[in-house]
Amino acid sequence: MKKIGILNSEISKVISELGHTDTIVICDSGLPIPAHVKRIDLALKQGVPSFMDCLETVLLEMQVEQAFIASEMDQVTPKLKKQMETSLNGVTVHEVSHEELKTMTHQAKAIIRTGEFTPYANVILQAGVIF
């Protein structure tokens, strides 16, 4: 049994296989997931697991150089946006329209679906390098 880090084998595998500029998505329960992108579905029920729990756990293992969020968060979910930016401390965060974000998910290596019911609780994380 794995002693530390992410216990979910699919997430652990995806992160270990990322190269520089590859992306993964952490999303709420409603984001459409393209059929050709690997879906890692963690949603158990409303709010479980939460978007922030998943993001904070992934950030412990993944080197992130850029993140992309929906610009709509400013008006609809400013509290969540602030929490996300705090967790992404030091990472450049780009705002794009929600429609553009959905288009960008087509290039992701995987999409991790949470049980989050908060609108626009989605982030695209772009892998960096540790050297």
Side-chain angles (χ1 to χ4, degrees), residues 98-113:
H98 186 59
E99 288 304 313
E100 185 176 350
L101 187 128
K102 288 192 290 187
T103 298
M104 292 171 70
T105 66
H106 288 262
Q107 301 341 116
K109 296 290 182 181
I111 297 178
I112 303 168
R113 180 175 175 256

Side-chain angles (χ1 to χ4, degrees), residues 22-50:
D22 285 342
T23 62
I24 65 169
V25 180
I26 301 173
C27 72
D28 59 32
S29 59
L31 188 74
I33 298 175
H36 67 278
V37 178
K38 180 175 184 59
R39 172 194 295 250
I40 302 173
D41 197 337
L42 303 180
L44 296 173
K45 63 180 184 176
Q46 182 175 347
V48 179
S50 75

